[in-house]
Amino acid sequence: MSAPVHLDPRLLRAFVTVAEELHFTRAATRLYVAQQALSRDVRRLERELGNELFVRTTRQVTLTADGERLLPYARAVLQAQDDLLAAAGQARPLLVDVNSPGLDTPRRVLRRARELAPGHELMARYESGLTGAAGELLAGRLDASFGRFAGLAPALRAGLDQQPVRHEPMAVVLPEDHPLAALPEVPLAALAGETVYAGAGNPRTPEWTDLARSLFEGRGITLASPAPLAVGEEEFQRIMARTRHPVLTVVDFPPLPSTVLRPLVDPVPLSPVSLVWRKGLVHPALDALRRAAAVVAAEEGWLRPPLEGWLPDRDIVVMAAR
């Protein structure tokens, strides 16, 4: 493989994106270009290098041996370009997944980061769960997210870094006329015999369902069966009114009409929240986001779990890694 004297970084970005997606249509969507233009750029790079980088069939796209060799070097060049732009004050926006609108923990960290880095653009995204966001992080379509790092599959964790942010107390959302709604706090023992919804079947949030399963085990609480995901406030209320199942959530879950939110106690179950980003990512706004997470956590005592708190052992290990 003989490289030309001058190589357009745009062509390298086209190559890397196709290599990560192994699909020209998805790669074109990610780059906001027409598929034909993307194919032309890849062909041009192949001509300039004098080697084929992909094997294309009607069914799949795969890297050639030359493509495999080029990929780490192309990534390094693009990262260096991003670093250069950042040093010149021209960094691209940092894309930050805050899970869902209204969740307080990621929203407060993002707001503080914007205060710490007013010269940089930090843009919110809404992926609804860390497992769903993790694939986007690894593919470079997101830069940071929040959630339960210990609940990710090992293959996903291997490509990501994390910083503990909060032990967030858990709660249940109840119909306002549910018998437990009259209590200011709901002891876990009071949920025995109840069927509680915790996102089973949602492919974007299995880390949350796994946490609920660990919490319910041995307490006589049934995990609600998988169901179609209710999207939007109106659908959520309709499904809750029909099933009347309590919904496992966190204490900062935004209020919904005709429901009440009650903290769980005896013990206090905790949702472990980490800031998560792709390994090797360099961006000045990520530095601000990490500082903001540390500052807000210290101000609010978010990383001091209550004495009566509950957390699985593997989450305790992750949250102690500061």
Side-chain angles (χ1 to χ4, degrees):
M1 184 182 297
S2 57
V5 176
H6 301 291
L7 199 59
D8 187 345
R10 178 173 60 85
L11 305 183
L12 289 178
R13 198 170 297 278
F15 161 67
V16 168
T17 307
V18 175
E20 290 173 346
E21 296 291 345
L22 293 178
H23 194 284
F24 274 82
T25 301
R26 288 197 299 266
T29 299
R30 179 171 152 189
L31 291 171
Y32 300 99
V33 299
Q35 183 178 336
Q36 295 87 342
L38 178 63
S39 296
R40 283 197 303 270
D41 283 347
V42 171
R43 289 291 189 193
R44 178 183 162 191
L45 180 63
E46 289 177 322
R47 287 195 304 272
E48 292 189 4
L49 295 176
N51 296 89
E52 285 198 359
L53 303 175
F54 295 102
V55 177
R56 306 161 176 84
T57 70
T58 56
R59 292 182 174 272
Q60 64 180 356
V61 176
T62 57
L63 281 163
T64 64
D66 286 325
E68 293 278 5
R69 283 195 295 271
L70 177 64
L71 184 57
Y73 296 102
R75 283 176 169 150
V77 169
L78 293 175
Q79 184 62 65
Q81 183 189 40
D82 287 344
D83 295 346
L84 176 63
L85 292 174
Q90 299 180 32
R92 62 173 178 79
L94 190 78
L95 303 181
V96 183
D97 168 42
V98 295
N99 303 145
S100 299
L103 289 183
D104 200 48
T105 299
R107 184 178 61 186
R108 290 179 63 182
V109 172
L110 180 58
R111 184 167 61 237
R112 181 63 64 87
R114 286 168 172 161
E115 294 171 357
L116 292 174
H120 295 287
E121 182 66 74
L122 293 91
M123 300 187 69
R125 293 291 185 268
Y126 305 94
E127 294 294 330
S128 83
L130 185 57
T131 296
E136 301 296 291
L137 291 171
L138 293 172
R141 290 186 290 265
L142 273 179
D143 296 310
S145 185
F146 294 83
R148 183 190 173 218
F149 189 73
L152 292 178
L156 294 176
R157 291 200 305 269
L160 301 171
D161 276 326
Q162 67 95 26
Q163 175 180 321
V165 175
R166 184 178 186 182
H167 295 96
E168 186 164 10
M170 295 164 74
V172 284
V173 175
L174 302 160
E176 60 186 359
D177 58 349
H178 191 283
L180 295 177
L183 301 175
E185 301 173 323
V186 174
L188 273 172
L191 288 176
E194 293 277 355
T195 297
V196 179
Y197 179 73
N202 183 352
R204 306 191 72 77
T205 60
E207 74 281 357
W208 177 253
T209 305
D210 175 71
L211 183 64
R213 189 177 288 110
S214 298
L215 176 63
F216 298 167
E217 186 176 4
R219 290 189 165 93
I221 306 170
T222 300
L223 180 69
S225 300
L229 180 65
V231 178
E233 181 178 301
E234 185 175 336
E235 280 296 285
F236 184 90
Q237 289 179 258
R238 185 182 66 82
I239 295 299
M240 173 170 267
R242 182 171 63 80
T243 65
R244 297 190 57 76
H245 291 330
V247 176
L248 187 69
T249 185
V250 291
V251 292
D252 286 334
F253 190 78
L256 293 171
S258 303
T259 68
V260 298
L261 184 141
R262 296 292 182 258
L264 291 170
V265 294
D266 301 330
V268 176
L270 301 170
S271 170
V273 181
S274 291
L275 171 63
V276 181
W277 64 94
R278 185 172 58 261
K279 279 186 177 177
L281 175 64
V282 177
H283 194 294
L286 176 62
D287 297 337
L289 193 66
R290 294 189 63 186
R291 291 200 308 274
V295 168
V296 177
E299 291 174 350
E300 300 295 333
W302 279 353
L303 289 172
R304 294 195 301 271
L307 294 177
E308 69 280 14
W310 172 92
L311 201 61
D313 289 344
R314 59 180 166 149
D315 290 278
I316 293 173
V317 172
V318 166
M319 295 300 283
R322 304 182 196 174

